[in-house]
Amino acid sequence: MSAHEVPKTLMVDGFRARRSFGLGGLSRTATMIAAVALMADGLIATQVPLSLLVTLPVTGIVFALAAAKRHGMSALSYYWAKASWRRAARFDATSYRRLFLPHPYALDLPGVGASSTLIKAHDPTSGRPVGVVHNRTTGHMTLTTLLAPGGSLMAPTGAVQSSLRTWSSVLDAMSTDEQVKGASVTIQITPGAGEALGDDVKARQDPNAPQLAKRIINELVRTTPHATASVAPWMSVTVDPNATVNAPADLAEQVAEALRVVDGLDLSGTGTDIERRATDIDLRRIVRSAYDPEVFNARDAEFEDLSWSECGPQAADDGWEEYAHDGGVSVSWVLREMPRRPLPYSMLLPLLAPGRYQRRITIAYRVLDPYEGEAVLEREISHAHQRAQATAEVKGRAKYSQRADAQRAEKAAAQVASGSQVADWTLMVTATARSTADLPAARQELARAIKATRGIRMRPAYGAQAAVFAAQLPIGYNPLVKD
């Protein structure tokens, strides 16, 4: 579906990157550092005048890099990150090998998931077991809800509008609840349905069915793994159970409080069907199959006895543009910039189309509370007008892009004044190839899917492949959530 085929009522906008005010393309902080550095150069020159021959060129190069852009970030940040990654690689800090530590659960998962542990709890609402991931460092807990794959491309316009409004209400509920720290929605597309489909068909097959029907369905099951893709969507919500007046006394009460908070988020009417709350087996399957895609469609019995540490990789190497782990090599891309024009609600459809390789698409949210959102937009309006005024004083008039940016900031503030909420969000995409030889093809397939969205600009997660890979799994890590 192209953009011109989508009614205007189903177009979404309001995307805007935060921009601070500074001189010469620098941020506000960089401008202040530049002023202090120039003052220091001047003070040193009062004692040793010849020092200016060294200090001024060095200072100029550093802040030229800070003002220049590379892959949507400052060139200084990019090259600093690359130097830091090379230094870490030199000391093997980017490689992980699973060890048997003397104290159990001391280091269950590598990297950002090191402080997480899995708790099997009982959900009194449904009467079923539920898996809760506990971050032992921050005290946050993450609960995951399994969703039924579906779509709204064939739905009436009114139904889609209603779903968008309901999802906005869910975000509003997150902004007013101090215990909800963030959320993420992930869709994983895995080629082939595997043995799980055969088990499901076998359990539901009528033994008294005609032999012809049995042969047909068995033939379909046999050929399905080579002809279809398995779609697994889920939503993870990170909760701080202690952010309340009467803090829970122990771990059991913290889990109960987290379940209560997540149950308060009503997803009905958002255009998605809730399958159930993820159990501990579901979480083991998701995490383990991310590192080893071969086991995604394995039977539940194969995950029951896995410890949380066994769900992670046995070995992993975090590269500059790729992440090698047990069952393959992954490449992760992150959002660089959203288009400044209204977008159709089906914008992400090319990313969700099945391909040759396993792919995960994650949208992470952190909804700001009303007061913080209003303060942020007021600062953005001030910064936008200051940039336009500074340019007008130098060149005689402000750039049209600067005036348009100020208008977008004012429009966002007007929407917030009318009851809308401000949300920090990001988009992450990961493609996993089974071998290093398939990596170029997987990278090309991912790049083509991103280009097919016609507007979304993304880039590889340079030096942060392992962190982005983990952020798409329900292990309690959300890059937007502040500790």
Side-chain angles (χ1 to χ4, degrees):
M1 179 179 290
S2 60
H4 67 274
E5 295 174 338
V6 178
K8 290 185 178 180
T9 54
L10 299 183
M11 306 290 281
V12 293
D13 58 0
F15 307 108
R16 186 179 180 276
R18 293 191 189 185
R19 298 182 178 90
S20 60
F21 171 69
L23 299 177
L26 299 175
S27 64
R28 180 180 179 182
T29 303
T31 301
M32 296 175 64
I33 295 175
V36 173
L38 291 175
M39 291 176 59
D41 292 345
L43 291 175
I44 295 174
T46 58
Q47 302 296 326
V48 186
L50 292 178
S51 64
L52 291 176
L53 298 175
V54 177
T55 56
L56 283 181
V58 172
T59 303
I61 291 174
V62 170
F63 290 103
L65 290 173
K69 296 295 182 181
R70 184 169 177 80
H71 301 295
M73 67 184 88
S74 70
L76 181 62
S77 299
Y78 174 81
Y79 290 115
W80 180 265
K82 193 164 189 176
S84 300
W85 177 83
R86 286 181 174 176
R87 181 177 180 275
R90 189 178 302 116
F91 293 98
D92 292 332
T94 58
S95 298
Y96 171 81
R97 300 295 181 268
R98 185 181 170 214
L99 301 174
F100 292 98
L101 301 179
H103 300 286
Y105 312 114
L107 184 62
D108 286 339
L109 297 179
V112 295
S115 60
S116 67
T117 187
L118 179 62
I119 300 174
K120 181 179 180 180
H122 176 75
D123 187 359
T125 304
S126 61
R128 298 177 177 177
V130 61
V132 181
V133 177
H134 179 217
N135 189 318
R136 291 163 294 185
T137 301
T138 63
H140 295 169
M141 293 189 173
T142 300
L143 285 90
T144 300
T145 302
L146 301 182
L147 308 175
S152 56
L153 292 179
M154 302 299 293
T157 300
V160 179
Q161 286 179 306
S162 177
S163 299
L164 293 175
R165 286 194 297 267
T166 305
W167 179 247
S168 177
S169 301
V170 174
L171 296 180
D172 289 346
M174 292 183 185
S175 68
T176 55
D177 193 333
E178 295 182 353
Q179 293 180 283
V180 178
K181 297 302 179 181
S184 64
V185 177
T186 300
I187 300 178
Q188 179 171 284
I189 301 100
T190 304
E195 297 175 349
L197 177 63
D199 292 344
D200 182 63
V201 171
K202 183 178 180 180
R204 299 167 60 183
Q205 193 176 68
D206 187 354
N208 299 321
Q211 291 299 321
L212 178 60
K214 291 182 179 180
R215 286 198 299 269
I216 292 175
I217 197 66
N218 291 335
E219 180 66 17
L220 286 174
V221 170
R222 186 182 65 83
T223 58
T224 289
H226 306 284
T228 64
S230 174
V231 181
W234 64 82
M235 179 178 180
S236 298
V237 180
T238 300
V239 175
D240 184 1
N242 297 311
T244 180
V245 176
N246 299 318
D250 54 19
L251 185 62
E253 292 187 4
Q254 292 176 8
V255 172
E257 180 68 14
L259 285 170
R260 184 195 65 79
V261 172
V262 175
D263 286 340
L265 297 176
D266 186 11
L267 298 181
S268 59
T270 58
T272 183
D273 296 326
I274 299 176
E275 186 173 331
R276 55 185 165 81
R277 198 78 71 200
T279 65
D280 57 314
I281 296 178
D282 295 325
L283 296 181
R284 292 190 187 101
R285 176 192 297 274
I286 292 174
V287 176
R288 183 60 201 150
S289 62
Y291 292 103
D292 187 3
E294 290 285 351
V295 303
F296 176 76
N297 293 301
R299 298 175 175 85
D300 288 347
E302 299 183 26
F303 297 97
E304 290 180 355
D305 297 329
L306 282 182
S307 66
W308 189 236
S309 61
E310 292 174 330
C311 296
Q314 304 298 313
D317 293 297
D318 188 10
W320 179 246
E321 293 190 41
E322 68 280 334
Y323 182 51
H325 44 84
D326 290 351
V329 185
S330 298
V331 289
S332 297
W333 288 43
V334 295
L335 182 67
R336 174 177 172 177
E337 183 183 5
M338 286 294 293
R340 300 172 185 177
R341 58 180 173 82
L343 305 177
Y345 74 101
S346 57
M347 169 65 75
L348 297 180
L349 188 60
L351 289 175
L352 302 176
R356 293 175 55 194
Y357 306 98
Q358 185 186 72
R359 189 186 303 166
R360 276 188 306 280
I361 301 94
T362 299
I363 300 179
Y365 299 91
R366 186 180 76 89
V367 186
L368 281 61
D369 66 72
Y371 296 104
E372 182 183 0
E374 183 178 357
V376 166
L377 288 177
E378 288 297 329
R379 287 197 301 269
E380 290 299 308
I381 292 174
S382 299
H383 293 162
H385 284 290
Q386 288 171 358
R387 284 193 299 273
Q389 183 178 359
T391 303
E393 292 176 354
V394 174
K395 297 184 176 181
R397 68 174 182 84
K399 295 180 180 179
Y400 182 80
S401 59
Q402 292 175 332
R403 296 198 300 267
D405 184 63
Q407 292 174 359
R408 285 195 297 271
E410 292 176 352
K411 181 180 179 181
Q415 292 174 341
V416 170
S418 301
S420 300
Q421 302 299 332
V422 180
D424 282 341
W425 70 280
T426 188
L427 176 66
M428 298 170 284
V429 183
T430 295
T432 300
R434 300 299 175 88
S435 64
T436 305
D438 294 333
L439 185 60
R443 185 180 281 112
Q444 183 183 52
E445 181 182 270
L446 180 58
R448 286 177 176 174
I450 294 172
K451 187 180 296 184
T453 61
R454 299 180 182 179
I456 296 179
R457 301 183 65 186
M458 303 188 72
R459 62 169 176 82
Y462 297 110
Q465 291 286 321
V468 174
F469 186 94
Q472 298 181 273
L473 303 178
I475 63 173
Y477 172 66
N478 188 323
L480 301 180
V481 175
K482 301 177 181 178
D483 294 339

